[in-house]
Amino acid sequence: MSSIETDVLILGGGPAGLWAAVSAAAAGARVVLVDKSRCGSAGPTVYGTTTLWDIPAGPARAAAVEQALVRGGGLGDPAWLHRVIEETNQRLRHWSGTRVTEAGGDPPRVRLDGASYLRRLRRGALEVGVRIFDHHPALNLLVDPAGTVVGAAGIQRHNRFRPWTVRAGAVVIATGGCAFLSGAAGTEGSTGEGLLMAVEAGAELAGMEFSSAYGLAPVLSRVRPHPTVAPGLSMRFATLYDESGAELPDRYPAALSAIADGRRVYAALDEVPDTVRHWLSRHGAVDAAGRVPVRAVLEGTVRGAGGLAPAGPDCATTVRGLFVAGDAAGRELVVGAAGAAGGLSGAWALSSGSWAGTGAATFAATAERVSVARSLAGAGLGPHAHIDPRSVIGLVQEHTLPLRRSYRRSAGSLADSIAELDTMWPGAQFELGGHGAAQVRARQAAALLAVARWAGYSALERAESRGIHRRIDHPEPVADWRVRLRCGGLDEVWVRREAPREPVGAELTATRPAAV
């Protein structure tokens, strides 16, 4: 591929991107999907089990919505929650792949093997005519003279890094969240380029202060496996203890607090699956007492709530012709201030992908096509490299990965981080660059820096603690802060409170679910 034209272009081949592709094709659009890795074989979903809420209409659905609103600190929107649950329930009725219903689940859930789920989605997309291009990282968007997004451009990893261009009637950003290269399972490609490309086109972000989601991973002493392996041995099944042997009743929150206090935390093996237990034993992760030491791993906006702000029920962004799905979207409307985990996270990927794909197909069918388009200038895409991207990434990680930076925040620490990151931005914007693989690394470094700045500014603005956003100088939630924040900007980052808006009607849920 060098230059082609289509109706809908999907950037990203995770579950949200694949649902968007299938839905756009079901709406009659020609669809192209490009992925920086291999679509259906990479990303967090591959490593483990995908859980989706499957709640029929009735009291159980109303109870699940109420629980989600409380857990999210009152920032969620009940209408959006009902839409997500209804859409997921309808789509799963047409799901032909293997599924396991969790007995006694509250709320009701189905479990799907992550890797099998993605393979089935990829096969379904190919069956309906979607053209998939693997190892084709996108670098920037194309816009027409009016500022409407009309495609994207990038390079081909497996074809001597030759450039590619796709002209499209609409574009869906489904590139995932940003985990700041922390080593969290499957997040080596979750580096924020989709967010940066969209903001360069004028898009707004939402919920970026909720970018401090952490997971737990085993500490391995004998080996250093590939970074996508060790954290994938999740400790979510295990009972957790502190160094005194006391059980931590709240599991993750209590464990993170203990680690932040400098105490060691251990996972018991009695509830860990046999395959995981055997792997840990072989690689020296089990101590003499039969426990596994664990550490905190930042999952950022992948399991947080921040991302591109949806501007309508079809997951359109604030830029014409640009749509968003999955972890790339701001999910405050659904998860509020809480992390996006469990069955609701999987349901959001499915539903937002379906809405974005259908919305993009509708937009492409009615939008006027123009012959003139330009490629947006992008940070970190200079012709030559004058600074090493590793120095940029190292600075970003210094101000994001430690618990003292992202788990326990304060005005002082946030202001210090913002000052350091702002100082680096001009150099990263204009002095990063190169060709081929170096160009991809430079763009990645610029995106990581941009996301860290948006998260820092938003966290400083929200002077309270709510959900996964914790301020040690403002340890309690404040009623006046029961509002959502928008942010954006490149050279000058801005943050503002979002004006209240009318709730989205449940009747806007898609009515023609595609069979996959």
Side-chain angles (χ1 to χ4, degrees), residues 461-483:
E461 179 70 15
R462 184 174 287 278
E464 65 157 0
S465 292
R466 188 180 296 268
I468 62 172
H469 169 68
R470 300 171 183 86
R471 290 278 298 266
I472 60 176
D473 50 349
H474 297 283
E476 299 295 331
V478 178
D480 290 347
W481 277 106
R482 196 171 173 177
V483 295

Side-chain angles (χ1 to χ4, degrees), residues 220-227 229-230 279 283 295:
L220 304 178
S221 58
R222 293 181 187 169
V223 296
R224 292 185 63 84
H226 191 275
V229 176
W279 196 97
H283 293 88
R295 61 190 178 91

